[in-house]
Amino acid sequence: MPKVTFLPSNLSLEIDENTTLREAAHQLEVDVHDRCGGLGACCNCVVTVVDGATAITPKTVVEEAVFYLDPKDRLSCQCRITGDVVVSTL
Ligand code: FES
């Protein structure tokens, strides 16, 4: 099972493949500011991929439409975990 780690808390867990980063954060009680409930509407649930960029699904149409996202930034409700990944909520 893939391992996901959230910084700066350094909380991590092994989780089923294709779980969203948002769902993983909820299991660890990490706040990713997901104000629209994961609908892809608020664009507040941004996390920065520190390691394992290829271990999450490619950017969705919703993410591509958010002009201010850095290439390493992802909307945690839109991407799914496929391998070990480390992300930052800062
Ligand atoms: S929770 Fe609103 S866009 Fe992700």
Side-chain angles (χ1 to χ4, degrees), residues 8-80:
S9 61
N10 209 31
L11 293 171
S12 65
L13 83 162
E14 291 188 346
I15 198 157
D16 290 337
E17 196 168 325
N18 288 317
T19 302
T20 66
L21 283 172
R22 173 180 176 264
E23 292 164 340
H26 279 203
Q27 290 195 31
L28 288 168
E29 298 184 4
V30 172
D31 185 8
V32 288
H33 312 287
D34 50 334
R35 301 302 180 244
C36 72
L39 298 176
C42 71
C43 301
N44 285 342
C45 64
V46 177
V47 297
T48 301
V49 179
V50 176
D51 192 28
T54 59
I56 47 180
T57 51
K59 285 191 175 179
T60 65
V61 172
V62 171
E63 291 177 283
E64 294 291 355
V66 183
F67 68 90
Y68 56 82
L69 282 184
D70 185 88
K72 290 185 175 184
D73 290 345
R74 302 295 307 269
L75 297 180
S76 63
C77 69
Q78 298 294 302
C79 51
R80 297 184 178 278

